[in-house]
Amino acid sequence: MSTPGEYYRSFPPVSKTYGVACLMTTAAFYLDLYNPENIALFYDDVFKRFQIWRLITNFFFLGPFSFPFAFRLIIIAKYGVSLERGPFDQRTADFVWMLFFGALSLLGMAAVPVLWSPFMGVSLVFMIVYIWGREFPNARISIYGLVSLKGFYLPWAMLALDLIFGNPLKPDILGIVAGHIYYFLTVLHPLAGGKYVFKTPRFVYLLFLFGIIGSPAATTGEQQQGNAAEGIAFRGRSYRLDTHTNAST
């Protein structure tokens, strides 16, 4: 039986880093180490007071300690890790770019006043759920041991649960939109015969090269660039099982 330390070290680097950062952010809030308003997304402070950090820090606060908070951490630990170990195996830089693109998309949507939220981390986590559901559309999922459904319907089932429990739906919907934009550009458009131009930028590989994220061994740049050149975003079930026909609605 593995120890807690061994279990922790077994997690892939990106999901582990993001999950721990979210946990520490909420823990620091309960220790009164900061005021959440100082890390929230306020565009007036970003552009008028040059508080650029708000564009990043708002994604790490998933709310106070509660059942929804714990559920979001479980999503990162289960579905984020599943993506990182599966379709993004040996493609850590591409996984980082997926999250980075999702964050940029959400920041763009938040610029619209009606779509704005002070903390966009919940939407980023829901984007992970959406991408997982598209990549593993035939995986069987059990909801609280009561309902069994295919992975493709998981984000919609979670959306329905939030509706039933009275939770805000806007963060979930924004996550679905961001996830679909990414999936369309990297999978659906190339599958329809379009040219794959959504390559992971070189600066993301440099983050690994200089050890800013993980280590150089965490990703194989040549293999990832080769996949991009072939127009392939994922190497997962959507391609091996030819399930993209039913999942590309």
Side-chain angles (χ1 to χ4, degrees):
M1 182 177 181
S2 61
T3 65
E6 292 173 342
Y7 179 72
Y8 170 77
R9 288 190 293 271
S10 69
F11 281 92
V14 180
S15 299
K16 177 171 62 178
T17 300
Y18 183 53
V20 170
C22 292
L23 177 62
M24 293 179 63
T25 300
T26 297
F29 164 68
Y30 275 89
L31 294 174
D32 290 328
L33 297 181
Y34 70 94
N35 186 334
E37 291 187 358
N38 293 331
I39 67 171
L41 178 62
F42 295 118
Y43 278 114
D44 283 345
D45 291 329
V46 171
F47 294 111
K48 295 181 180 179
R49 298 179 178 87
F50 302 103
Q51 296 178 359
I52 307 299
W53 65 83
R54 294 178 181 272
L55 297 175
I56 301 174
T57 55
N58 79 92
F59 288 102
F60 294 100
F61 187 74
L62 300 181
F65 286 131
S66 60
F67 176 76
F69 171 82
F71 191 66
R72 290 158 192 159
L73 283 187
I74 291 173
I75 288 176
I76 297 172
K78 181 176 176 63
Y79 301 110
V81 168
S82 178
L83 285 173
E84 199 170 352
R85 286 176 173 171
F88 288 93
D89 185 33
Q90 299 298 319
R91 299 177 54 231
T92 310
D94 291 345
F95 188 68
V96 170
W97 173 238
M98 182 197 78
L99 296 176
F100 187 78
F101 174 82
L104 288 178
S105 300
L106 292 170
L107 289 174
M109 286 184 273
V112 180
V114 70
L115 301 180
W116 172 84
S117 177
F119 301 102
M120 304 296 290
V122 175
S123 297
L124 187 63
V125 170
F126 210 86
M127 173 187 170
I128 293 175
V129 174
Y130 181 84
I131 295 295
W132 186 92
R134 297 305 298 258
E135 181 58 23
F136 297 96
N138 290 328
R140 302 302 301 183
I141 299 296
S142 177
I143 304 295
Y144 297 122
L146 299 175
V147 179
S148 179
L149 46 83
K150 290 186 176 182
F152 177 79
Y153 300 105
L154 177 62
W156 309 106
M158 288 186 174
L159 188 67
L161 287 175
D162 279 339
L163 177 63
I164 294 173
F165 293 147
N167 296 325
L169 300 183
K170 183 172 68 174
D172 299 353
I173 295 174
L174 293 180
I176 289 175
V177 172
H180 189 74
I181 292 174
Y182 177 84
Y183 195 82
F184 174 82
L185 292 174
T186 58
V187 177
L188 300 182
H189 180 62
L191 285 176
K195 183 179 180 181
Y196 181 76
V197 296
F198 197 74
K199 299 179 181 179
T200 300
R202 186 171 297 275
F203 79 86
V204 179
Y205 296 110
L206 294 178
L207 295 178
F208 292 91
L209 180 63
F210 292 105
I212 298 176
I213 299 179
S215 63
T219 183
T220 55
E222 291 183 0
Q223 178 183 354
Q224 294 172 1
Q225 291 176 350
N227 290 345
E230 296 171 15
I232 297 176
F234 294 117
R235 289 285 190 181
R237 295 171 62 87
S238 295
Y239 285 93
R240 291 200 303 270
L241 301 183
D242 195 30
T243 58
H244 55 266
T245 302
N246 295 328
S248 59
T249 57

